[in-house]
Amino acid sequence: MIVAKEVILNLAILLPPVRALARRRHSTGMNNDERLVQYTYGRLREHVDPFGKDVLELGPGQTPRLLQLAMQDGAKSATGLDVENYVSERWPAEVRASVYDGRRMPFDDNSFDVIWSNSCLEHVRHPALTVAEFARVLRPGGSMISSIDLRDHYHKDPALHAEHLRYPSWLWSAMTWNRSAYTNRLRWTDWERLLNCGPLRLRICEAEPSEVLRSVYTTHPARRRYTESEFVTVGLYVVADRV
């Protein structure tokens, strides 16, 4: 990444015409890919049966299909919450949609039995507040389930999946804060800490390491700020319960 160019692009996105263009071109994780939807829903069903439950998905983007499947399996309600309004003619009538500012969720305390998200938490601008909101809107005994993509979202080469870790926090924000591909760069240890405090108890924490990144760790400038384990972990699957 060329730092000056990225800073300019990050500022340009604040201009309404540029933001509108970027919004039209933006696509979200599953993009209504039915095969990926079925795989993801199968993993969710390993940990929770939505029957009779109020379900919330954070960051469904353009794919409300997971929530639709929850309703087909007998969920009491299914709600999608996002920072953008992705509702279109394809949005099923039985799935509620809500938009918020990325901070306080527009729901009462103890509103949901289940919260899930898929490749979303790495993009939240206020991670600690988001986790606190999970705890607030979850009912006691409820669960949150999330897959978190810890890779650099600007590079496809596996050897560059930790390139975003090379920049100091202030510079990374200046380059990416306003953009949809922004990632907060929290590592698995940060998420472990956040999801295992207050009324939340982390029950499952499955980390996915990259052997390619392991091979470049000793020469990467980020080694001064991150342990090898933090550096090489590119994915996380977590389940936390509300006590």
Side-chain angles (χ1 to χ4, degrees):
M1 298 174 73
I2 302 173
V3 172
K5 175 185 175 183
E6 300 304 327
V7 171
I8 292 171
L9 289 173
N10 185 53
L11 293 173
I13 204 73
L14 295 175
L15 300 173
V18 178
R19 191 171 189 83
L21 178 62
R23 173 67 176 78
R24 287 197 298 271
R25 292 185 175 181
H26 178 61
S27 62
T28 58
M30 281 185 283
N31 252 6
N32 291 296
D33 181 330
E34 187 63 19
R35 184 170 58 179
L36 183 55
V37 165
Q38 292 293 338
Y39 169 78
T40 303
Y41 188 66
R43 290 200 75 185
L44 294 169
R45 282 299 308 263
E46 292 174 6
H47 304 290
V48 65
D49 180 356
F51 183 82
K53 295 180 172 64
D54 293 305
V55 179
L56 172 68
E57 179 174 359
L58 181 64
Q62 296 152 328
T63 307
R65 184 81 173 108
L66 291 173
L67 292 167
Q68 186 179 38
L69 290 173
M71 289 299 291
Q72 291 175 6
D73 278 346
K76 183 179 179 181
S77 70
T79 304
L81 177 65
D82 217 308
V83 294
E84 295 279 357
N85 183 7
Y86 291 104
V87 176
S88 69
E89 66 279 358
R90 293 184 300 177
W91 196 274
E94 67 270 25
V95 174
R96 303 171 184 171
S98 188
V99 179
Y100 82 132
D101 62 1
R103 293 176 180 272
R104 185 175 175 85
M105 296 179 180
F107 309 115
D108 293 335
D109 297 357
N110 307 320
S111 292
F112 298 97
D113 303 292
V114 182
I115 300 175
W116 65 51
S117 67
N118 301 281
S119 297
C120 168
L121 289 186
E122 68 270 18
H123 296 296
V124 300
R125 268 68 173 179
H126 311 283
L129 178 56
T130 298
V131 173
E133 284 293 278
F134 284 164
R136 182 181 69 79
V137 302
L138 267 176
R139 295 175 180 133
S143 299
M144 67 79 59
I145 308 166
S146 185
S147 59
I148 309 172
D149 187 348
L150 304 181
R151 296 172 296 179
D152 185 312
H153 283 48
Y154 292 91
H155 295 94
K156 294 183 178 180
D157 183 346
L160 300 177
H161 280 171
E163 281 304 282
H164 57 329
L165 302 182
R166 70 167 54 244
Y167 306 101
S169 295
W170 68 268
L171 183 55
W172 181 249
S173 293
M175 293 164 61
T176 65
W177 182 264
N178 301 316
R179 301 161 72 178
S180 60
Y182 165 83
T183 56
N184 51 50
R185 305 190 303 168
L186 268 63
R187 311 319 294 157
W188 73 267
T189 49
D190 299 312
W191 287 114
E192 183 182 51
R193 174 179 52 80
L194 285 175
L195 293 169
N196 205 29
C197 66
L200 291 178
R201 292 294 178 271
L202 189 61
R203 175 160 48 95
I204 297 173
C205 185
E206 300 175 356
E208 176 190 352
S210 164
E211 295 308 314
V212 175
L213 287 185
R214 199 181 304 280
S215 70
V216 302
Y217 173 70
T218 57
T219 59
H220 199 282
R223 72 186 185 280
R224 295 189 293 269
R225 293 192 296 272
Y226 300 96
T227 67
E228 182 179 276
S229 177
E230 291 169 332
F231 182 87
V232 306
T233 300
V234 294
L236 200 60
Y237 197 84
V238 295
V239 180
D241 301 319
R242 167 75 158 83
V243 296

